[in-house]
Amino acid sequence: MEIISDSETSSQVGENNHQEGKVYFIRHGESTSNERNIFAGVLDVDLTAFGRLQARQAGSDLKKKGMKFDAVYVSHMRRARQTCEIALAESQALKSSDIPIQIDHRISEKSFGIFAGRNLNLLRLALGYEGFEEMLHSHNEAPPAGEKIAQVYHRAASFYQERIVPHLERGETVLVVCHQYVLEPLALYLSDLPPTAYKHLKLPNGKALSKEELVKFRDKESGGAASVRKQINDLSIMWAIFLYAAAFLLGCLVRALSASTGGIPSELFRGIIVVCLAASTFYTYLDIDFAASKRKVTSTVKYIVYGWMLVRWLVGIFLIFSGILYQSPGDLYKVMWVLFLMVPPALTSPVLSVLWGGNLYPSAILSRTLSIITPVALVVTFGLAKQLPINNSSLIFFGIILIVGLAIPAALAQFWRDKSPVESNHHSKNWKFIGVLAVAFMALATGFQFTPSTFISDLFSSTDLNRSLACLQQLAVATLVFILIRVSAVLTSVLTTGKLNKAEAKDAYILLVNPNFFLWASLFLGVTATANPEAVRYAIFWAALGFFCIPVIEQILFMNSFGNELLRETLRSSRMATEDIRKLFLELDTDGSKALDKDEIMELLGRIEDMTTGERSSQEVRKYITDYLFNTLDADKSGTVDLQELEEYVSTYGLVANLNVVNNTASVNN
């Protein structure tokens, strides 16, 4: 299958049958950036295994429709080209095997400037919802060193008029494979609407849409209930951590003010926890590809997390069996806090990874593995430590959580992903807020259930001295434990600098500071005897408070750090001027010719990427961009580019290695 660039001319001429042709559009399948909730833009990322499945689904759809294409156009980016190749291989939809796959720069993804490679949720938090929407989805605003929607609109419209319309006039059928932020503005153009009418649509990955279907999708998703649902979805994900904390505190407040002594019936409470975890797991695992998970978790992050868990267990076993901690039933709370360090990471760890810019897979895979191994180890421990008044039957509840709250919904999510990759992915994007609200409801129920009815009086008025002492004592112990956990996690991050990338380090941190509260609490709901029940009750309460509320503080810290980093990048981008160009030019002009050849231009692009996106494109993509930009910059056709030509280009388009610039000097017609 031959691939040619837009600077080459296709010799394919369709038969003129005087009937208007058809055009189909496909957004590339899920990429590694989609999977990790980050912007890719001009970064050249691959399809995931799930994205390849979506591409095959697109090909299957084309085959069912009986499509045969006279021409195919694709973005230069790897994720689009992979989608195109897989879809055509599946559909066998080319009219002739010698029809070339033509690359056109104008349908390459929008440049997100310094936002490339950044986590979407952290960007929303740093910019605010309105600021994020304005900068990313307004027609006349753009990220620093990035493109405006209006710019994408005009280059996409130019592509359609110059490349697609001639085929349609000849009655030919055309396939276009490109990107979300190209197809959405193009849908406006095809609807005879200006770029000012742009709205983000969450276009599905790997779905073949005709011109009419694309326009209909835009009409349906850009207003009414779909627009409201999108806003609810975006806001709930953006504020998920704050929502969980607020829900927990609301439950605490209702219980304390009502002075209810009974709480929620035990079986009902357990049912709420299982159902809410099941909903959260289902929507989380719709975005996780466990079939390809093993190769996405490095051995380094495994050694770090498993190593720390082993250390915690060795220390915990020593303290439990040495008799140092537990000498009487009144000391049970001491064992409780040691066990808090020994339980596995929470099953909600992948949610935090997505929200905080982690790598996702370490959180998902390692929390799942440890959640299976640790309960077995706890059963053995309690069987040997017969002096502890802990009933092994309390682990039955956690077993139910693992089966009904994790295994079954995860299996259903994975089955739907495999069976309907396009529909399941689109559903996840639009209805993920259900999983967020499920966890919020779980937090509300937990806050109500575990807040002592006398909490306010115990904390402020000391009507019962023993309860007040237990409240303050457990607050002090909880504070010490949570600080100890986080200090060890931070030290681990510092000591492993250079061994883990930022995303993996974030996952390791999440796994080490996020113990499974519900497993831990279930161990003590069936306590048979204790001389200090108030200490046990308040230990559970303060642990629950920390579990739901401390992540708010962490998110604020992450958000501030992210915002400061973003500000530095913005200032650095805004300071790039003529001096920078002169400096780069002189560094590369090693022969003193006062001109750069093609190889030097290629290195120039790499250095520009270092200064803007912070990550170099692949060699293949950089060569393609070099060929195009060299033709653009070499205005006098001398075979080299002088400083004046370079400065004129940058003064017009900015210091960005951006292929999304229409070449006005070169012909792009067939």
Side-chain angles (χ1 to χ4, degrees):
M1 185 181 297
E2 182 185 3
I3 297 181
I4 65 174
S5 72
D6 55 351
S7 60
E8 299 177 79
T9 302
S10 171
S11 61
Q12 304 301 316
V13 179
E15 180 182 352
N16 189 344
N17 55 15
H18 304 291
Q19 295 181 355
E20 185 177 358
K22 293 183 178 180
V23 56
Y24 280 82
F25 303 94
I26 300 177
R27 178 192 175 193
H28 63 78
E30 180 191 71
S31 69
T32 54
S33 60
N34 297 145
E35 180 183 52
R36 290 179 49 205
N37 197 36
I38 62 176
F39 279 120
V42 297
L43 301 181
D44 201 28
V45 296
D46 286 303
L47 293 182
T48 63
F50 185 59
R52 293 177 180 275
L53 184 62
Q54 290 175 326
R56 285 195 292 273
Q57 180 67 55
S60 178
D61 290 344
L62 291 173
K63 189 173 185 179
K64 289 178 182 177
K65 293 176 180 179
M67 290 294 101
K68 291 294 181 180
F69 296 109
D70 299 279
V72 179
Y73 294 94
V74 65
S75 157
H76 77 280
M77 293 176 174
R78 196 158 57 229
R79 54 194 184 272
R81 289 187 286 114
Q82 289 171 345
T83 300
C84 181
E85 291 167 4
I86 294 170
L88 289 177
E90 182 72 21
S91 64
Q92 297 295 307
L94 290 178
K95 281 189 177 179
S96 171
S97 60
D98 60 355
I99 293 176
I101 310 303
Q102 301 183 70
I103 292 176
D104 197 294
H105 66 278
R106 290 169 293 183
I107 54 174
S108 297
E109 181 62 295
K110 170 185 174 179
S111 170
F112 295 109
I114 67 170
F115 289 177
R118 307 283 185 177
N119 178 268
L120 271 70
N121 192 65
L122 290 177
L123 275 171
R124 280 199 182 97
L125 289 168
L127 300 174
Y129 183 77
E130 295 298 330
F132 179 89
E133 290 295 313
E134 181 71 15
M135 190 169 287
L136 270 299
H137 300 145
S138 171
H139 74 284
N140 61 350
E141 294 289 341
E147 276 187 292
K148 299 177 182 179
I149 288 294
Q151 292 174 299
V152 183
Y153 176 96
H154 291 303
R155 63 177 168 87
S158 169
F159 160 78
Y160 188 83
Q161 280 298 321
E162 296 178 9
R163 284 300 186 112
I164 305 304
V165 169
H167 288 292
L168 300 182
E169 290 175 346
R170 294 195 293 266
E172 297 175 347
T173 304
V174 187
L175 176 65
V176 178
V177 184
C178 54
H179 307 267
Q180 175 171 241
Y181 282 90
V182 175
L183 290 176
E184 290 178 351
L186 186 57
L188 284 178
Y189 176 75
L190 297 177
S191 302
D192 295 321
L193 294 172
T196 53
Y198 177 80
K199 289 187 178 180
H200 186 43
L201 305 179
K202 294 186 181 293
L203 197 69
N205 295 89
K207 187 173 182 64
L209 299 172
S210 67
K211 171 185 173 181
E212 294 74 22
E213 289 170 334
L214 181 62
V215 170
K216 184 177 179 181
F217 182 86
R218 193 214 72 84
D219 294 339
K220 177 183 176 183
E221 294 292 321
S222 61
S227 180
V228 173
R229 184 190 64 229
K230 175 190 175 297
Q231 189 169 6
I232 292 174
N233 197 62
D234 291 345
L235 286 171
S236 65
I237 295 171
M238 174 181 174
W239 296 109
I241 302 300
F242 296 91
L243 184 61
Y244 301 157
F248 177 83
L249 293 175
L250 178 61
C252 295
L253 184 63
V254 171
R255 178 68 180 274
L257 294 179
S258 67
S260 172
T261 58
I264 303 172
S266 177
E267 295 305 317
L268 175 60
F269 174 71
R270 295 183 178 189
I272 291 172
I273 298 302
V274 170
V275 170
C276 289
L277 278 176
S280 174
T281 298
F282 179 77
Y283 281 96
T284 299
Y285 281 49
L286 273 180
D287 295 328
I288 297 176
D289 183 12
F290 272 108
S293 60
K294 290 184 179 180
R295 63 175 179 268
K296 296 185 179 183
V297 183
T298 65
S299 57
T300 304
V301 73
K302 287 181 182 179
Y303 293 149
I304 290 171
V305 174
Y306 289 154
W308 260 116
M309 289 302 299
L310 179 60
V311 169
R312 290 181 182 182
W313 265 82
L314 291 175
V315 173
I317 291 294
F318 170 76
L319 292 174
I320 289 173
F321 286 97
S322 66
I324 296 175
L325 289 181
Y326 188 80
Q327 298 176 354
S328 69
D331 295 329
L332 180 61
Y333 75 89
K334 299 177 184 178
V335 178
M336 291 177 66
W337 286 112
V338 170
L339 289 171
F340 191 72
L341 300 174
M342 297 167 63
V343 294
L347 298 175
T348 54
S349 296
V351 176
L352 294 180
S353 180
V354 171
L355 296 178
W356 292 349
N359 192 39
L360 178 61
Y361 278 91
S363 288
I365 303 303
L366 301 185
S367 63
R368 181 192 63 173
T369 302
L370 289 169
S371 292
I372 295 172
I373 295 173
T374 306
V376 176
L378 287 172
V379 170
V380 174
T381 300
F382 296 147
L384 297 175
K386 297 185 181 298
Q387 74 275 21
L388 298 179
I390 300 176
N391 191 343
N392 270 339
S393 63
S394 59
L395 287 170
I396 295 176
F397 173 49
F398 188 72
I400 294 173
I401 289 179
L402 285 179
I403 296 172
V404 182
L406 176 65
I408 294 177
L412 290 174
Q414 294 291 295
F415 175 78
W416 193 18
R417 278 172 61 91
D418 293 339
K419 189 73 174 177
S420 304
V422 176
E423 290 76 13
S424 64
N425 184 249
H426 189 57
H427 177 85
S428 174
K429 290 179 180 178
N430 285 283
W431 298 95
K432 193 183 293 289
F433 69 89
I434 294 176
V436 174
L437 295 180
V439 176
F441 187 72
M442 180 174 69
L444 177 69
T446 302
F448 184 86
Q449 186 74 354
F450 290 131
T451 300
S453 58
T454 57
F455 168 65
I456 294 179
S457 62
D458 292 342
L459 189 61
F460 297 108
S461 60
S462 300
T463 55
D464 185 305
L465 185 58
N466 289 332
R467 286 204 309 264
S468 295
L469 286 175
C471 175
L472 295 174
Q473 177 194 53
Q474 296 309 308
L475 171 60
V477 176
T479 302
L480 179 62
V481 170
F482 281 116
I483 290 176
L484 177 63
I485 289 175
R486 279 154 178 82
V487 167
S488 64
V490 170
L491 287 175
T492 300
S493 298
V494 172
L495 294 174
T496 57
T497 301
K499 298 179 181 179
L500 298 176
N501 60 43
K502 287 184 178 180
E504 288 178 324
K506 191 68 65 66
D507 274 81
Y509 177 86
I510 290 168
L511 290 165
L512 293 175
V513 304
N514 195 34
N516 193 316
F517 167 77
F518 292 101
L519 169 59
W520 177 78
S522 69
L523 299 175
F524 304 99
L525 296 179
V527 169
T528 56
T530 178
N532 196 354
E534 300 302 334
V536 172
R537 189 174 298 116
Y538 271 109
I540 295 175
F541 168 73
W542 290 119
L545 181 70
F547 178 78
F548 284 107
C549 297
I550 290 179
V552 171
I553 300 173
E554 292 171 316
Q555 177 152 302
I556 291 173
L557 294 175
F558 288 142
M559 184 176 64
N560 288 339
S561 174
F562 180 84
N564 290 334
E565 183 181 347
L566 205 61
L567 179 60
R568 288 193 297 269
E569 287 292 320
T570 302
L571 292 175
R572 187 176 71 172
S573 174
S574 66
R575 287 196 298 266
M576 293 176 182
T578 306
E579 309 85 78
D580 301 286
I581 295 302
R582 290 182 180 274
K583 182 178 179 181
L584 287 173
F585 185 93
L586 293 174
E587 288 176 354
L588 294 170
D589 184 23
T590 55
D591 57 4
S593 64
K594 297 185 179 180
L596 302 181
D597 60 24
K598 186 171 289 189
D599 290 338
E600 290 168 332
I601 287 291
M602 186 169 181
E603 176 59 23
L604 169 71
L605 292 179
R607 296 190 186 190
I608 290 176
E609 288 181 317
D610 292 339
M611 298 173 70
T612 54
T613 64
E615 182 177 342
R616 293 199 179 193
S617 302
S618 66
Q619 189 78 5
E620 180 184 12
V621 169
R622 284 178 60 219
K623 183 180 184 305
Y624 174 74
I625 298 176
T626 298
D627 291 341
Y628 174 74
L629 282 184
F630 188 84
N631 291 332
T632 302
L633 293 170
D634 185 20
D636 57 6
K637 305 303 178 185
S638 64
T640 59
V641 175
D642 60 35
L643 181 58
Q644 182 180 354
E645 291 169 332
L646 182 59
E647 288 179 337
E648 287 177 355
Y649 172 83
V650 173
S651 67
T652 303
Y653 300 116
L655 193 58
V656 181
N658 187 359
L659 187 63
N660 306 331
V661 178
V662 178
N663 184 354
N664 295 319
T665 64
S667 173
V668 293
N669 293 321
N670 282 338

